[in-house]
Amino acid sequence: MEELLDTRGSVFGHDFGLLPHHLHGTRHSNTSGHDRPNQMLPRNHHHRLQSLPFLRAALVQDAQLVPLSRLFWQPHSIKLSWSSSETLTQASFLCRYFLICVNYFFYGETVADYFGALVQREEPLQFLARYHRFISFALYLAGFCMFVLSLVKKHYRLQFYMFAWTHVTLLIVVTQSHLVIQNLFEGMIWFIVPISIVICNDIMAYLFGFFFGRTPLIKLSPKKTWEGFIGGFFATVVFGFILAYLLSQFQYFVCPVGLNSETNGFTVECEPSDMFVMQEYKLPAVVQNIVTWKTVTMCPFQIHSVFLSSFGSLIGPFGGFFASGFKRAFKIKDFADTIPGHGGIMDRFDCQYLMATFTHVYIASFIRGPNPSKVLQQLLMLQPEQQLGIFHTLHSHLRARGMLPPAE
């Protein structure tokens, strides 16, 4: 019987060290001296971990373009010695299938949420929007059943490894990339400022660490220093504050993305909210004693930028530390070589995903309020009798508050 994996444990011509050693079996003889080819024994306990074939593919590519790379599209390029090539083909198909299901669920939700008026014009889209979650769950159940039916004796453990890693990868990459898109629909400024904050912090932490660094920060990244960490924090807060002021001056950056019903195209035209309008703030008495100003003029979004910058500088780097620990655990330098000299997409975006998640939570918790356009879209989806009932209720409510003249 052939060994389960190529003895080099290589994937795509590289040795990535990602498959636990107990999955690498070798032939041996029993006490009677007879060969027992069907039994797999672990190699030396100190032998370095070998390759899990699709993890490289699962983590190296862009979240929206080709998130699971070669395992999805080139399964037979993986250097494995399977007893049946059909098993590998089925595993690759299921990885692609789950990727499609997850994207269908998340982006279907986005389309139904932000473009309800467009959905209502097309009969097929109405059906898909109404039963979107049920359809998504049914598709996932179909994939789950296919996975169970594809299980092959002697390959159970490896198949479950691939199943688990596929779900973890989709959770980390696709889910967080979906949050990036959600932030983008709130306005370009919620996309550009967080990304720029992380980039600025990386650069400034490197510069401060290069010129003033003396004290190591964390063992996972020996080159990181406390001087770079602290200097990067203050520089990033100042950078975020200035960038927030500059972008707040342009309607294109502050307006949420909407749908123009006349042109059926996207639009970013709106009346900027008070968050992006310059306002006067009175300084605390302690600050007034230090400086000569009593008031300061700025837009509220600049205050929010301080919190975003603080997170990006203090907590964001831990996403990079996590990625460093992950790569060290599996003895790899980079997730991929997509960007020459820098590694893969995940090597550049290890902090960005954490920042995007925080931005989404921050918007939902402290910024987003009732959206009139979404309320109107939901009203248009109701039956005429229901719409008429809401009209009469709203009319009576406004009259009771004195906003409409009393009935004659």
Side-chain angles (χ1 to χ4, degrees), residues 57-59 61 66-73 95 99 166 169-170:
L59 295 178
Q61 298 295 342
V66 275
L68 303 179
S69 187
R70 290 194 185 180
L71 176 73
F72 288 87
W73 312 120
C95 290
L99 172 67
T166 298
T169 302
L170 293 176

Side-chain angles (χ1 to χ4, degrees), residues 21 41 66 99 183 203 217 286 297 369 377 399 401 403 405:
H21 60 275
L41 289 182
V66 275
L99 172 67
N183 298 341
I203 296 173
L217 175 63
V286 177
T297 302
Q377 289 178 7
R399 181 179 294 169
R401 295 181 58 183
M403 300 180 69

Side-chain angles (χ1 to χ4, degrees), residues 192-201 204 232-246 305 309:
I192 295 176
V193 170
I195 284 183
S196 302
I197 283 173
V198 172
I199 295 174
C200 173
N201 181 253
M204 300 309 297
F233 166 73
F234 287 105
T236 302
V237 170
V238 173
F239 170 81
F241 191 84
I242 296 174
L243 181 64
Y245 168 76
L246 295 176
S305 73
S309 299

Side-chain angles (χ1 to χ4, degrees), residues 103-115 129 132-133 136 178 182:
N103 278 280
Y104 173 79
F105 170 73
F106 280 119
Y107 294 104
E109 292 273 315
T110 300
V111 171
D113 190 25
Y114 286 93
F115 307 111
H132 173 70
R133 295 194 176 185
S136 301
H178 169 70
Q182 293 282 81

